[in-house]
Amino acid sequence: MHRPLPGSDGDYGTSATGSMPRDGLFAALVEFEPGGGLEPGKGLYRHRGVPAALGGRDFSAATMLRALAGQAGAQRFFTAAGRPFSLYAVVGSHRHASQLAARLNELLRGVRIG
């Protein structure tokens, strides 16, 4: 089931992840404005292209914007089409992160940034 991010929620879905079921998956693709020391293709954004795949071990409770029991998150920064992005993903169950990451990877295969 897909649900749109409520307009009142932040970019990283703090409210959405707070009510996410154990078999839930949240993903946010956020574009940043270059400037202020942020340079596409360099530093944190040196990786080129949308991340191809994440595995269960890429998810950690320490990555969570707001720690919630059982959940785990992953974040990747990258440059695509000369623009800086962040992929932030949360799985409803750290224990089942590998299976939930497989669903995320299906989604990532369809992402095109032009």
Side-chain angles (χ1 to χ4, degrees), residues 1-10 13 15-17 19 25-27:
M1 173 162 94
H2 300 263
R3 287 190 234 166
L5 187 62
S8 60
D9 208 343
S15 295
T17 57
S19 61
L25 171 65
F26 171 85

Side-chain angles (χ1 to χ4, degrees), residues 89-108:
V90 176
V91 292
S93 169
H94 191 227
R95 183 172 171 210
H96 300 289
S98 292
Q99 295 93 332
L100 294 167
R103 286 178 32 206
L104 172 65
N105 294 336
E106 287 179 41
L107 176 70
L108 291 175

Side-chain angles (χ1 to χ4, degrees), residues 12-104:
Y12 297 105
T14 308
S15 295
T17 57
S19 61
M20 191 169 64
R22 296 181 73 70
D23 65 345
L25 171 65
F26 171 85
L29 186 61
V30 179
E31 181 177 0
F32 296 98
E33 290 291 323
L38 191 157
E39 295 184 54
K42 296 185 179 180
L44 195 60
Y45 300 92
R46 70 184 168 279
H47 177 81
R48 302 277 181 175
V50 177
L54 294 176
R57 292 185 178 181
D58 292 317
F59 288 84
S60 167
T63 306
M64 296 291 295
L65 182 62
R66 181 178 65 160
L68 294 169
Q71 292 186 358
Q75 189 167 24
R76 296 291 182 271
F77 296 90
F78 62 95
T79 294
R83 301 172 358 231
F85 291 87
S86 168
L87 169 67
Y88 178 69
V90 176
V91 292
S93 169
H94 191 227
R95 183 172 171 210
H96 300 289
S98 292
Q99 295 93 332
L100 294 167
R103 286 178 32 206
L104 172 65

